[in-house]
Every structure is written in structure tokens, then in C-alpha cells.
Amino acid sequence: MADGSVIFRLAEECGFEHFGPLEISALEFLPEVRQMCAANLCQAYNRNWTCPPACGTLEEIAAKTKEFHKGILVQTTAELDDDFDYDTMTKACRMQNARFQKLISKLRGHCSRLLPMGAGGCKICEVCAYPDEKCRFPDMAFPSMEAYGLFVSAVCEKSGVKYYYGKGTITYTCCLLYE
């Protein structure tokens, strides 16, 4: 089993600008956040294995997370040219997810169990196999914090990890529970 210092060292090696311990009690699974998913602005609701409703009910998710007692929040921050710098936002999100995959791979040898929660919906496959076939990459695909009903800024705040790094920046946050 890995301790926090090993996890933090690996997070730094993976290139995250910011990281810190997750306060497990900060994980509140809110129906209001899940309802934002149901608005389907990203066009993934009921179309992706890692999005609602396929990723499980809030009750199922809460039960799954109760098995864990340790966690880490990891973040990638980028500076925007302006408030509509979509290219930088997209690049930073891809970078966050690549770093997160790398961290998960490194931790598989150190931790007996992992429960990753990413930033944004899964985009591994151009078209998700949901609902007709099983997920093609179950070891690489994981729901986002929002899909699990978590209000990311509140989780960060309650864990003592900054969420906002100033005007002209965007930050993507992922969460990893481990034992």
C-alpha cells in the first residue's frame, strides 16, 4: 500500500501543477449536480458508460466510495489568452486526463485498490459502445467528479486545495481514492 508521500511524489512526477490530500468527508453526492448532467449540454448523458445514468446512482456511488479512506486531488492549470480561449481549454483538459492516466498506471503497482474520478466525460473512443456493448477500455475509462454528483469547487475547498488560481486561468481537477 502506498502512503501519501509516495502518491504526492508520483503526482509531481506526472506533471500536475497542484495536488493535495482529499478530505474524504468532502465527498457529497448531490442530486443538483447530477441534474446538471441531465441537462445534456455536453451531449453525453445516457450516451456514455462513464456518464449518468450508466455510471450508477448516487447511492451506488456513495456506497462504493465508503470503502476508501484516502484520496488525492490533482490539478492542471493553464493560462488563457482570453475568456473564450477554447483551444487552450481543450489542450489543458487533454493534458489533465493524460497526466491522470499516467498517475493511475503508476499507482496500480503501489495500491491495492483505486477509484479514479476524472475531469469531463470520457473521450477515449470516438463513439462510445454504450449501451449496446461493454466498455472497450474499462481500465482507462472513468466517470468525472461531476458525473458522480460532486461539486468540484466545494470538494477542493473542504479539502484545503485551491480551486481558482486567478483571472485568465482555467484549472481541471481530478480525484483519486486509494487503499
Side-chain angles (χ1 to χ4, degrees), residues 2 7 64 68 70 72 103-117 175-179:
I7 304 283
K64 190 186 307 186
F68 293 88
K70 299 175 191 168
I72 185 173
L103 178 62
I104 291 165
S105 293
K106 288 178 178 251
L107 287 175
R108 286 208 166 105
H110 294 278
C111 300
S112 58
R113 293 181 310 130
L114 299 171
L115 179 61
M117 294 176 235
C175 165
L176 183 64
L177 304 181
Y178 61 92
E179 289 295 330

Side-chain angles (χ1 to χ4, degrees), residues 46-49 53-54 127-135:
N46 203 24
R47 295 181 184 173
N48 190 307
W49 280 112
V127 177
C128 183
Y130 180 82
D132 301 323
E133 300 172 28
K134 290 183 180 181
C135 176

Side-chain angles (χ1 to χ4, degrees), residues 16-106:
F16 293 104
E17 282 86 6
H18 316 284
F19 48 87
L22 168 71
E23 177 61 47
I24 299 294
S25 65
L27 299 178
E28 295 180 59
F29 307 97
L30 304 170
E32 305 89 285
V33 176
R34 184 55 77 83
Q35 288 166 358
M36 286 189 266
C37 284
N40 201 24
L41 296 177
C42 67
Q43 303 299 307
Y45 184 83
N46 203 24
R47 295 181 184 173
N48 190 307
W49 280 112
T50 65
C51 293
C55 66
T57 67
L58 294 181
E59 294 78 21
E60 291 168 336
I61 293 160
K64 190 186 307 186
T65 61
K66 284 187 195 258
E67 300 173 14
F68 293 88
H69 301 95
K70 299 175 191 168
I72 185 173
L73 291 164
V74 292
Q75 299 174 321
T76 296
T77 299
E79 291 189 27
L80 303 172
D81 291 334
D82 57 50
D83 291 344
F84 304 100
D85 185 358
Y86 183 75
D87 288 341
T88 300
M89 291 177 198
T90 302
K91 182 179 176 186
C93 187
R94 279 196 306 261
M95 184 179 297
Q96 170 74 358
N97 289 330
R99 289 172 173 172
F100 197 49
Q101 285 288 356
K102 186 175 179 182
L103 178 62
I104 291 165
S105 293
K106 288 178 178 251

Side-chain angles (χ1 to χ4, degrees), residues 116-128:
M117 294 176 235
C122 179
K123 294 185 177 42
I124 296 171
C125 300
E126 198 169 313
V127 177
C128 183

